[in-house]
Amino acid sequence: MNEEKIKRVLTEPKLASIKTMLEKDHAIDCLLLLYAGRGKWKDAKGFMQDNNLTLSDGTFRARMIEIESLGLAKSERIDPLKKYYTKTEQGEAVAKLLLGFFDELKQ
């Protein structure tokens, strides 16, 4: 039943946390950048600029920290201040679902 699915998304801690994260500014952008292998700020910034889009470094870092805390990414330290993020299996699954969702809207 759809009502049960809705209740699950709204009340199960993991699903509710992912829903909350997706509602934030540039969260979907960051998940898709991660899926595309652009988990380093310089690469993400370049991709966004190439497509006439904007994303601040602070927003990128905040979303990536949140994405990592949900288990959708893992990070490796580049230097004391910078990290490189890569998608986890669950992060890849979420990104594929989002891409499928947007494909369906296109039709």
Side-chain angles (χ1 to χ4, degrees):
M1 173 178 222
N2 284 337
E3 210 168 287
E4 284 302 313
K5 289 180 183 180
I6 293 166
K7 182 180 175 182
R8 202 173 136 236
V9 169
L10 297 176
T11 61
E12 284 187 19
K14 178 82 173 190
L15 296 177
S17 294
I18 290 172
K19 181 193 83 65
T20 299
M21 185 269 304
L22 289 173
E23 293 173 336
K24 292 185 179 173
D25 194 29
H26 292 287
I28 293 173
D29 297 352
C30 290
L31 271 171
L32 296 177
L33 287 165
L34 187 65
Y35 182 70
R38 309 238 182 201
K40 184 178 170 188
W41 166 240
K42 182 179 177 182
D43 297 338
K45 180 181 176 183
F47 181 86
M48 296 298 276
Q49 286 178 338
D50 289 348
N51 289 284
N52 296 316
L53 301 168
T54 60
L55 175 64
S56 74
D57 61 334
T59 299
F60 175 80
R61 292 181 208 298
R63 291 299 87 77
M64 287 302 189
I65 289 167
E66 198 165 11
I67 289 167
E68 182 179 28
S69 74
L70 291 169
L72 305 178
K74 57 186 175 184
S75 66
E76 296 176 28
R77 191 130 321 260
I78 297 172
D79 65 34
L81 298 175
K82 297 178 186 171
K83 290 183 178 180
Y84 175 72
Y85 294 89
T86 56
K87 64 187 177 228
T88 62
E89 199 172 295
Q90 189 174 20
E92 182 169 354
V94 171
K96 284 181 179 179
L97 288 169
L98 286 168
L99 288 172
F101 169 76
F102 288 111
D103 279 345
E104 289 295 318
L105 290 176
K106 190 173 103 175
Q107 297 177 5

